Each structure stands twice: as structure tokens, then as C-alpha cells.
Amino acid sequence: MHFEWFICLRYLKAKQKQQFISLITIISITGVMVGVMALIMVLGVMTGFTEGFRAKILGINSHIVIQKFGNSIDNYEVLKQRIEKTPGIIAATPFIYSQTMLTSNSTGTGAVLRGIDPVSAGRVLSIEEYIVEGSLADLAKSSDSLPGILLGKDLAHQLRVSVGDRIKLISPSGPLTPMGVIPKMKAVTITGIFDTGMYEYDSALAYVSIETAQDFLDLDGSVHGLELKINDIYQAYALAIQLEKELGMSYIAKDWMRMNKNLFSALQLEKTALFIIVALIVLVAAFNIVSTLIMVVMEKNKDIAILKSMGATSGSIMRIFIYEGLIIGCAGTLFGVLGGLLGCKILSYYQFIKLPDVYPLSTLPVKVLPMDVTLISVSAIIITFLATLYPSWQASRIDPAVALRYE
């Protein structure tokens, strides 16, 4: 063992009359541990919340949307088959999007009407996971031979209807007559209710079959666009650019990141801000390490002078206290990582923190990324290393003649 390590370990084991220094060392280790543990748990919660939120959004929306500038898409089956041959794309499904009015026997409200293909939509979207009553397959025909419609939970509550009830679709555009534009109406039967947990979807979204939407909106077999599901959601932007080049200038491809840019940018900014704020705990712990080492240097002033008079170099003295600070920092980081991972495991397993109804998730989600743990650990060790430099440099400058003058 190098004598620097030997003396460093001796200094960490305080004698009876130096218990105060030992207590400060323990406090320094605890400070680093609490900071690292808090960072891991905060980033774990923020990562889990972001991914849970993204899963909810991508359950209702596709990874990429293909549309045609200013027009609906005719012969969409040909385009669908062409797109599905592109590497990286799993499946495609047509859709129709329109604003409409829904009326029941007692009330009415505006809604977003989406026409989907019940067969292919299940391969692209995760609507089936959120259906609490009925099924997606019942959209084509209901039991009373009327077209089916799938309503959001809050939308059904606003209309005061349930599965099996009839409602009417009212389109603001219709045939022009001498009396003016007559709105087009169509009766449908509620065949299902879905609950995503997100109020903006559950209160304003309704699904019908693609044939029902085409008939209601007079689209004559065309659709408004295609929705795509891809292998790697993080390659959505690059794949969208590729599809735009292959399909030509008349088509536009929008990926999920661009369509929800503001939302996910806000979540990322919040995660970064929390990382910086909680990192201040580690910084405070670093000042504890500085004060601990300064007190050790003051206590061991004569010991350092004797070591230097015996031939120890200033570099050796400096390394003794750098090693001591690194032992404190590494011990605190290790205990903090273990405590943070354990805390995240407990939060994830027991889920005792419930979220209010304003959030799309019912419990606090947690997901720890290895990269986050590595970044936190390395950052904590670097901060504690920097905290050891000044006290170690001060120890290396002690003059043996001055320190031992009156001994």
C-alpha cells in the first residue's frame, strides 16, 4: 500500500479526541448520498411520467401521418401498399378527420369525428386497450343495422348516453337549396365507450368506420390521409422526411415528435430544470467535504509538517487529502445510488402516490435509465473531486519550519 493511502485511511479513522471530525465526515457522506438519491428518484419519476404520457398519446395517435396538400387521397389502398413496403414501417391505416355535431334525445355537443378502418386500425393504433365497453369490430354495423360509433367516456357523459343508445351526426356542410345550406344528418348507434384518461380526447373524440365517414361527408371512396406505425419511434422524423421525398411534393408526412413538439419540449425542460435544482444538494454536500478536509488539515498540521520533514513531497501530501475526499464522495455516491434505486423500486412496486384526475396517469410512474444513473454518479464524483483540490493544496503548502517552530 502506498503511504498516501495508508495515512489517508488512518485519518478517516478518528481517535477518541477527534470524534467531532469523524461526525463531520459522516455528515459529508450523508449529504452526498441524499443528493445522489434525490437526483435518481427525481429523474426516474420525470422519465417515467414522460414515457407514460407518450404511450398514452401514441395509443390514440400514430407515429407518422401522411396527407395530401389541399386534397383528399383517392386510391388510398395503392398508396397504403406502397408505403408498407418501406423498410421500418410496420403497418398503415386510412383515416378521415372532421368536425361535427353530436345530438342525443336530451342534449348536443361538438366533437371530432374520426373515420377508421376497424381491421387495419388495430395494427397501428392501441384503441382496443382503452375500450371499456363494446369493441372496435362493432363499428361497421350495430345490432339494429345502423352504423356504429365509439365515444369517449366524458363525451358520452355530456350526451347522457350509453352503449346501445342512438345519437345523430350533424354536418355543418350539406346540399345548397333555395332555403340555404341544409345540414346533413345521420343516425348511428353507440357500440362502445373508450377511456384514455386524457380529458381532451375522452371529451371530444368519436370513431366511426371509414365507410360511415365517407358516406356522411360525401367523400366518394377517398380518405383524408394515412396513419403509420414504425419500428423505432425515435426514427420517425428521419422516416417522415424520407417518405416526403419518395411520395413527391404533393404529399406531406408529419411525425409524432413534430405534432407534439411543444408538449414534449416542456416536459424535457422541466426534467432539466429539476436536475439542476436537485444537483444543488450535491453541491452543498461538496462544501461539507471542503469544510471537513480543512478541519482535518488544521488538526493534522503538525503531522503534515513531520511528513514533509521526513521527505514527503507536496504532491504526496496533496494526494493524501484528495484520496480522503474521493473516499467520502465515492462512498456517498455508492450509498446514494443504492438508496435511489431502492426508492424507485418501492415507488414503482407499491404505487402508493396517487395522481389527481387532471393527469392522464393514475399513479406516479417511475423508470430509471442506466444513462441517467451513470451521469449522476460521474457528476457527483467529479464535484467531490473538485471540492478536495483547495484543502489539499493548502495542506501541501504547510512549511515544516513554521509548523514545528514551538515544538
Side-chain angles (χ1 to χ4, degrees):
M1 180 185 294
H2 292 289
F3 86 94
E4 293 99 333
W5 276 109
F6 177 77
I7 296 173
C8 165
L9 295 174
R10 286 290 299 271
Y11 284 174
L12 284 171
K13 300 174 183 177
K15 297 179 181 177
Q16 188 67 32
K17 63 178 181 178
Q18 299 166 342
Q19 287 299 319
F20 182 65
I21 293 178
S22 179
L23 177 62
I24 294 178
T25 302
I26 294 173
I27 292 174
S28 299
I29 293 174
T30 305
V32 176
M33 180 192 74
V34 171
V36 170
M37 186 170 70
L39 271 173
I40 289 176
M41 294 184 69
V42 165
L43 291 188
V45 168
M46 285 304 302
T47 301
F49 186 83
T50 301
E51 295 206 355
F53 206 87
R54 184 177 62 214
K56 286 279 188 181
I57 290 176
L58 294 183
I60 298 297
N61 298 288
S62 58
H63 300 159
I64 298 176
V65 173
I66 303 290
Q67 290 178 297
K68 195 172 185 179
F69 282 109
N71 296 307
S72 54
I73 300 175
D74 300 319
N75 299 321
Y76 64 88
E77 283 293 343
V78 176
L79 180 64
K80 175 175 174 288
Q81 293 173 8
R82 178 184 171 187
I83 290 175
E84 286 181 332
K85 293 177 181 178
T86 304
I89 295 178
I90 299 174
T93 185
F95 75 91
I96 292 173
Y97 181 94
S98 177
Q99 297 280 346
T100 187
M101 176 74 74
L102 304 180
T103 61
S104 63
N105 292 332
S106 55
T107 185
T109 184
V112 174
L113 184 70
R114 295 192 65 172
I116 59 173
D117 177 13
V119 178
S120 60
R123 298 197 297 267
V124 176
L125 307 173
S126 302
I127 305 171
E128 287 279 8
E129 297 179 10
Y130 304 117
I131 295 178
V132 292
E133 293 183 66
S135 69
L136 198 62
D138 295 332
L139 284 182
K141 285 291 181 181
S142 64
S143 57
D144 54 5
S145 299
L146 287 177
I149 188 169
L150 188 64
L151 298 182
K153 178 182 176 182
D154 294 303
L155 181 57
H157 181 72
Q158 291 175 30
L159 293 172
R160 300 169 193 166
V161 293
S162 58
V163 173
D165 292 341
R166 293 186 181 185
I167 60 174
K168 290 181 180 179
L169 303 177
I170 302 176
S171 172
S173 60
L176 182 62
T177 68
M179 302 296 294
V181 176
I182 299 178
K184 188 173 183 180
M185 302 179 64
K186 189 175 186 66
V188 292
T189 300
I190 300 171
T191 57
I193 304 291
F194 66 87
D195 181 12
T196 65
M198 292 185 286
Y199 182 78
E200 59 270 26
Y201 289 116
D202 295 337
S203 63
L205 190 58
Y207 290 97
V208 294
S209 68
I210 203 86
E211 293 81 11
T212 302
Q214 288 171 338
D215 178 63
F216 178 60
L217 299 172
D218 295 323
L219 290 178
D220 297 326
S222 61
V223 297
H224 289 154
L226 295 175
E227 295 182 296
L228 314 180
K229 183 177 182 179
I230 63 176
N231 284 321
D232 186 357
I233 60 174
Y234 298 106
Q235 295 297 319
Y237 177 75
L239 202 52
I241 297 298
Q242 177 188 336
L243 286 171
E244 284 184 348
K245 292 179 181 178
E246 292 179 357
L247 297 177
M249 297 295 293
S250 59
Y251 290 91
I252 181 173
K254 295 182 287 186
D255 62 280
W256 68 272
M257 288 183 282
R258 280 188 286 176
M259 290 188 288
N260 301 280
K261 183 179 180 180
N262 292 339
L263 175 61
F264 288 106
S265 294
L267 290 173
Q268 183 60 42
L269 180 62
E270 186 176 355
K271 181 179 177 180
T272 303
L274 284 173
F275 176 84
I276 294 172
I277 293 169
V278 180
L280 293 176
I281 300 175
V282 180
L283 195 59
V284 171
F287 282 106
N288 286 338
I289 294 174
V290 173
S291 61
T292 300
L293 293 180
I294 289 175
M295 294 190 68
V296 173
V297 170
M298 293 172 60
E299 178 71 27
K300 305 298 182 182
N301 202 315
K302 296 180 178 61
D303 292 5
I304 296 168
I306 293 172
L307 287 171
K308 295 192 77 172
S309 65
M310 294 173 63
T313 64
S314 296
S316 297
I317 299 300
M318 195 170 180
R319 281 192 291 274
I320 290 172
F321 293 97
I322 287 177
Y323 292 160
E324 185 171 348
L326 284 176
I327 289 174
I328 294 172
C330 290
T333 301
L334 177 62
F335 291 137
V337 168
L338 295 176
L341 293 176
L342 179 61
C344 289
K345 190 72 174 178
I346 292 172
L347 283 176
S348 178
Y349 184 78
Y350 290 103
Q351 298 182 344
F352 51 84
I353 300 180
K354 305 295 182 182
L355 296 178
D357 293 337
V358 294
Y359 294 101
L361 306 171
S362 58
T363 58
L364 194 66
V366 180
K367 182 173 182 179
V368 180
L369 299 177
M371 183 57 69
D372 287 345
V373 176
T374 303
L375 176 63
I376 292 169
S377 303
V378 172
S379 300
I381 292 173
I382 289 175
I383 290 172
T384 53
F385 169 72
L386 295 175
T388 65
L389 295 180
Y390 175 73
S392 303
W393 178 69
Q394 287 284 53
S396 69
R397 294 179 66 233
I398 291 176
D399 187 350
V402 175
L404 301 175
R405 179 179 297 172
Y406 301 106
E407 294 298 322

